[in-house]
Amino acid sequence: MSDPSCLFCRIVKGEIPAKLVHETPDVIAFRDINPQAPVHVLVIPREHIESTGALTEAHEALSGKLLVAAAEVARKEGLDSFRAVSNTGADAGQSVFHLHVHVLGGRSFTWPPG
Ligand code: AMP
């Protein structure tokens, strides 16, 4: 449920400070420490799940809550356009192995991403 060696579990517990922008009983959202856009917020489950790739049917409700929270963050931040991205695995750029959705906005983006 919680991994004491996981950075984002420690943020959930309040052991490491973060700039919270949204929270629900299951999900929190906080500003990325190294923003890649004017708005860059990470939406994470309170529960420790390694990545999007570790999701199963047991996580269907929680997965929906993550996306709804991403939309709430975008509304709160006044974003009409935004990227919601979940890097999954080291080759895809995942560096913190606690599932998270990046909400990026406030600038234009190209497609496909690099
Ligand atoms: P990823 O590389 O997709 O796993 O995303 C991890 C994100 O976590 C990166 O964008 C980091 O900048 C961000 N990050 C790492 N440590 C912290 C922290 N203490 N507080 C907020 N964001 C962090």
Side-chain angles (χ1 to χ4, degrees), residues 82-99:
F82 63 95
R83 282 263 169 91
V85 177
S86 182
N87 298 323
T88 304
D91 283 351
Q94 186 176 5
S95 61
V96 178
F97 288 81
H98 181 127
L99 170 59

Side-chain angles (χ1 to χ4, degrees), residues 7-8 11 16-18 30-36 40 42 85-88 92-98 100 102:
L7 173 65
F8 287 178
I11 287 176
I16 292 176
F30 52 93
R31 297 201 189 279
D32 196 292
I33 203 167
N34 182 25
Q36 301 301 310
H40 188 171
L42 302 172
V85 177
S86 182
N87 298 323
T88 304
Q94 186 176 5
S95 61
V96 178
F97 288 81
H98 181 127
H100 50 281
H102 297 256

